[in-house]
């Protein structure tokens, strides 16, 4: 176990995804030296969307990236619920100006590649050599005074602190909590991106839409200033257990999964050119993210079902809070990491549990017939219940939480 209590100057981050790059940028701005070890040979993100609520766009603003939100984010006016069979529509909540007024920041929807590129450029502006590609963390050596990453192709890199931001299959997490036992949720996700101009006029609205139905749901929303539309379809009763962003299924299988659904959903599925298929796994929240001079953030710490659209938002928040905690306790690593965990563990566990709970809500059998469905939706998505489910998330201030 490493000697603790000495100063932190050089932070290693395993994984250069949205969480790792946010942490890198926040740490650089606090004056730390940072090395990001990313397994991929080139810096890239998958072709998919990510929604960021006000709690997360606040992080981008604090990191000097308001211009990126304005330039690349689609800023919808609101969110809607639609019924799988009839297409009946309910307004869920207002976004746009209402989000800024209420939470101080907007709700924006990004192409992941745009956001990832902007974060990487901001990191490189401050430290041109901070990101090292083709560096896959195979394991972690914690036997010396400083943690070291052992790379897949051979090679060893030491730092004063190691942050595992290496996603849902994290190698760093293994050194802290042992081998993970994710449980297949019995659900898979279809995802695809559609050039918005290919869709009929009424599907081009600048809104986030959540179609709900028995055993499945669909989310779609605009990306890249509205030029693209992101589609995600979740299906229960699946035996597809490949957890990968790059695995494809077929148009026919995707259509079959949504047989009987409203023609707007069929139209969108037809317009997707590559139908990616991802198994959704469930993992129980863990209470300890750190050991000695090694800690975790993002999906490596708290992988979640995507049913609150908060996984990336939590990764961004983690990165910012971690940098604040380290800056506040520069000479005391245990104090910094325990302040970090105290600020983050409960909130992220609540997101994991809330996301699990949304599966039952979005897929409820009561949605099967239109009359019962209307009653169910008006009850479950009543303004007070929506506020209770989301307000605590959106109003969080990453720069004010005590560390
Ligand atoms: C269908 C779907 C829709 C979603 N929609 C939303 C949404 O709208 N809003 C939202 O907030 N969240 C959403 N999420 C969740 C979000 O995508 C994740 O929570 C987020 O990507 C986590 O970021 P991360 O940086 O922790 O991990 P990742 O994005 O997985 O990044 C991990 C990085 O580490 C690298 N890496 C992995 N292993 C190693 C290794 N051994 N060594 C070195 N590098 C390594 C990877 O190449 C990658 O670059 C969604 C998820 C899914 C599945």
């Amino acid at each position: 176990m490493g000697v603790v209590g000495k100063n932190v100057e050089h932070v290693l981050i395993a994984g250069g995804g949205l969480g790792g790059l946010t942490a890198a940028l926040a740490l650089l701005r606090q004056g730390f030296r940072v090395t990001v070890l990313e397994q991929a040979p080139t810096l890239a993100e998958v072709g998919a969307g990510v929604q960021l609520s006000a709690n997360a766009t606040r992080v981008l603003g604090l990191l000097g990236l308001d211009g990126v939100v304005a330039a690349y984010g689609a800023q919808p006016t609101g969110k809607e619920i639609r019924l799988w069979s009839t297409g009946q529509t309910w307004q869920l909540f207002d976004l746009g100006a209402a989000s800024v007024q209420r939470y101080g920041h907007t709700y924006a929807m990004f192409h992941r590649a745009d956001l990832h590129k902007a974060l990487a450029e901001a990191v490189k502006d401050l430290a041109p050599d901070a990101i090292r590609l083709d560096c896959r963390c195979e394991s972690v050596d914690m036997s010396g005074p400083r943690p070291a990453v052992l790379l897949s192709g051979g090679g060893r890199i030491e730092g004063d602190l190691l942050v595992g931001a290496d996603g849902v299959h994290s190698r760093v997490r293994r050194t802290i909590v042992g081998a993970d036992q994710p449980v297949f949720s019995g659900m898979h996700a279809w995802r695809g991106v559609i050039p918005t101009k290919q869709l009929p006029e009424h599907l081009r609205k600048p809104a986030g839409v959540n179609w709900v139905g028995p055993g499945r749901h669909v989310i779609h929303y605009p990306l890249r200033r509205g030029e693209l539309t992101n589609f995600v379809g979740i299906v229960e009763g699946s035996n597809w257990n490949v957890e990968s962003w790059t695995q494809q299924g077929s148009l026919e299988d995707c259509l079959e999964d949504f047989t009987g659904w409203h023609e707007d959903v069929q139209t969108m599925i037809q317009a997707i050119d590559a139908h990616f298929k991802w198994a959704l796994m469930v993992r129980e929240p863990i209470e300890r993210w750190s050991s000695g001079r090694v800690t975790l953030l993002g999906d490596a710490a708290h992988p979640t079902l995507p049913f609150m659209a908060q996984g990336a938002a939590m990764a961004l928040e983690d990165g910012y809070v971690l940098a604040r905690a380290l800056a506040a306790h520069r000479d005391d690593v245990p104090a910094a990491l325990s302040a970090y965990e105290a600020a983050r563990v409960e909130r992220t566990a609540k997101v994991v549990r809330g996301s699990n709970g949304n599966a039952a809500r979005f897929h409820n059998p009561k949605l099967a017939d239109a009359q019962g469905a209307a009653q169910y939706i008006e009850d479950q998505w009543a303004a007070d219940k929506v506020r209770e489910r989301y307000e605590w998330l959106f109003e969080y201030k990453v720069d004010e939480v005590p560390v």
Side-chain angles (χ1 to χ4, degrees):
M1 185 63 54
V3 174
V4 289
K6 281 170 57 191
N7 212 8
V8 171
E9 281 165 21
H10 181 203
V11 181
L12 297 180
I13 300 176
L18 297 176
L21 291 181
T22 301
L25 183 55
L27 285 161
L28 287 165
R29 288 169 65 103
Q30 294 279 7
F32 294 96
R33 187 157 77 83
V34 174
T35 303
V36 178
L37 304 169
E38 166 56 45
Q39 66 177 1
T42 50
L43 263 188
E45 252 288 355
V46 288
V50 63
Q51 312 188 57
L52 293 184
S53 46
N55 48 309
T57 51
R58 182 180 189 93
V59 177
L60 297 177
L62 289 162
L63 293 174
L65 298 177
D66 271 335
V68 170
V69 178
Y72 296 108
Q75 299 192 31
T77 50
K79 284 227 176 188
E80 295 175 353
I81 297 284
R82 292 191 74 185
L83 185 60
W84 69 285
S85 47
T86 61
Q88 189 179 346
T89 305
W90 289 261
Q91 294 304 321
L92 177 53
F93 45 71
D94 290 334
L95 296 171
S99 173
V100 177
Q101 201 177 19
R102 199 167 179 104
Y103 310 111
H105 292 268
T106 193
Y107 193 113
M109 293 152 170
F110 293 91
H111 192 292
R112 295 175 72 105
D114 294 340
L115 184 57
H116 189 259
K117 185 162 175 254
L119 284 164
E121 275 169 6
V123 166
K124 288 194 248 172
D125 279 349
L126 293 181
D129 302 322
I131 304 173
R132 292 183 52 178
L133 300 173
D134 241 334
C135 287
R136 177 170 165 76
C137 166
E138 189 59 41
S139 59
V140 178
D141 178 3
M142 291 166 54
S143 60
R146 301 165 83 223
V149 168
L150 306 182
L151 298 173
S152 288
R156 172 192 162 89
I157 301 176
E158 267 186 23
D160 299 320
L161 181 83
L162 169 63
V163 181
D166 47 346
V168 76
H169 301 294
S170 172
R171 306 299 288 209
V172 180
R173 178 183 169 110
R174 286 190 191 181
T175 67
I176 295 177
V177 293
D180 213 359
Q181 297 298 331
V183 178
F184 177 48
S185 66
M187 292 180 272
H188 61 249
W190 289 100
R191 60 176 183 80
V193 174
I194 306 162
T196 303
K197 61 176 190 274
Q198 286 183 16
L199 293 173
E201 187 68 36
H202 72 281
L203 287 175
R204 297 187 202 165
K205 274 204 294 190
V209 182
N210 185 357
W211 292 79
V212 291
R216 47 210 71 197
H217 77 277
V218 165
I219 305 273
H220 61 91
Y221 54 84
L223 305 177
R224 199 174 276 165
R225 301 169 293 268
E227 291 156 31
L228 300 171
T229 295
N230 193 62
F231 175 97
V232 178
I234 309 286
V235 180
E236 265 182 23
S238 166
N239 55 10
W240 178 270
N241 60 3
V242 188
E243 193 182 31
S244 154
W245 280 102
T246 51
Q247 191 79 30
Q248 284 193 35
S250 67
L251 165 65
E252 293 70 31
D253 286 350
C254 188
L255 282 171
E256 195 184 322
D257 273 346
F258 291 94
T259 305
W261 277 55
H262 191 268
E263 64 183 69
D264 284 352
V265 172
Q266 314 286 339
T267 302
M268 284 185 285
I269 295 173
Q270 296 273 8
I272 298 169
D273 54 3
H275 298 75
F276 290 94
K277 195 174 179 184
W278 160 294
L280 295 176
M281 312 298 266
V282 184
R283 294 165 174 86
E284 280 301 306
I286 53 171
E287 284 177 9
R288 196 172 55 93
W289 298 359
S290 311
S291 174
R293 289 178 166 246
V294 181
T295 194
L296 301 172
L297 65 72
D299 277 7
H302 43 73
T304 177
L305 292 175
F307 302 163
M308 291 183 96
Q310 286 292 324
M314 291 302 112
L316 265 58
E317 288 183 3
D318 287 346
Y320 194 88
V321 173
L322 176 62
R324 278 187 60 222
L326 285 167
H329 307 274
R330 276 177 199 267
D331 299 328
D332 189 346
V333 173
L337 296 185
S338 80
Y340 168 55
E341 289 188 4
R344 302 299 306 157
V345 171
E346 196 183 320
R347 176 170 169 84
T348 52
K350 203 169 159 188
V351 167
V352 174
R353 287 193 289 266
S355 300
N356 294 346
N358 265 351
R361 186 170 293 114
F362 294 174
H363 299 172
N364 202 284
K366 290 188 183 139
L367 295 162
D369 85 284
Q371 223 177 351
Q375 180 70 55
Y376 179 75
I377 290 173
E378 276 152 28
D379 174 44
Q380 289 296 313
W381 280 275
D384 57 329
K385 289 200 179 146
V386 169
R387 213 169 302 125
E388 194 182 314
R389 291 206 291 275
Y390 291 97
E391 189 96 330
W392 65 276
L393 273 168
F394 297 172
E395 66 189 13
Y396 184 81
K397 294 189 170 57
V398 81
D399 47 325
E400 291 180 13
V401 58
V403 289

